Amino acid sequence: MPSSSPSSASGNLRACLFMLVAMAGFVVNDTCTKLAIADVTAPQIMAIRSLFTVALLLAVAGLRGELHSPRRLAHPVLALRTLADIGATITYIVALGHMPLANASAIFQALPLVMTIGAALFFGEPVGWRRWLAIAVGFVGVVVIVRPGAEGFTVYSILVLLCVLCSAARDLLTRRLPGRMPSLLISAVTAGAVSVSGWLLTPAWGWQPVLARDYAIFATASVAIAVGYVCVVEAMRCGDIGFVSPFRYAILVFAIGMGLLVFGDIPDPTTLLGAAIVVGSGGYSIYRERVRGRPISAGRAQVH
């Protein structure tokens, strides 16, 4: 957990760099996922990529001596969190296969707003009228991006919104996990469950031949997402979370850049306008928490 004392300037600088690397890692993972889904099914991606991720996380956890007490992971909240993460993974992967990377990332930026609502409803955290107004404005931005009834609207936009809800549930449940659980093992358990779910779903979706390039993509994605997880944790630990959290929105810049370079996708002005509204409202919510002197929890600070 982050310290309640103010962080030093050097600590905040390191934390910002960690957060930027984390967001870049998540975008690399999303790009790899979008590339792979052109060849294989969503469950195959879940199964193989997550298997690589589990191996990597367990190796790191072993080097850090965190594999001695696996019984610490026996907790019902962890089971619920894992189910939420499985839902978030499959909805986002399927959506990525049918919509531009930048559009999916833009819709996903509604997560901090949903987290604020969840914290108020389930944890009783106070939310003033200014932040409720910011939340309302943020959802206007989501509507602008999704454009219900417009030609560009598809069911895959709804899947990203479902992913946001699952991700919010996952992060809210994370705050209920006992502190004795190592974060690396929590991530490894989740990745393992996602992999098993992928293998179980594969017969229903069908098995497509996995090319050599796909294994290279999965390996790259597993490293990228593991780096993202680790860097987010480091960012939360060495910097003031209220200062660092706005740097999460750098994921939009990275997503737009990767979408343009790899897929030739250029976001239309309406999508950029909606994204600006969502980012602005989320940034204002973070600002209000700092003004009121309440630290923002690490669970709520995660995006992906």
Side-chain angles (χ1 to χ4, degrees), residues 212-236:
R213 78 151 197 160
D214 294 322
Y215 285 111
I217 289 172
F218 293 144
T220 302
S222 65
V223 172
I225 199 168
V227 168
Y229 286 147
V230 172
C231 285
V232 163
V233 172
E234 291 300 321
M236 296 303 103

Side-chain angles (χ1 to χ4, degrees), residues 34 78 97 228 249-250 253:
K34 190 170 177 61
L78 179 58
Y249 292 116
V253 178

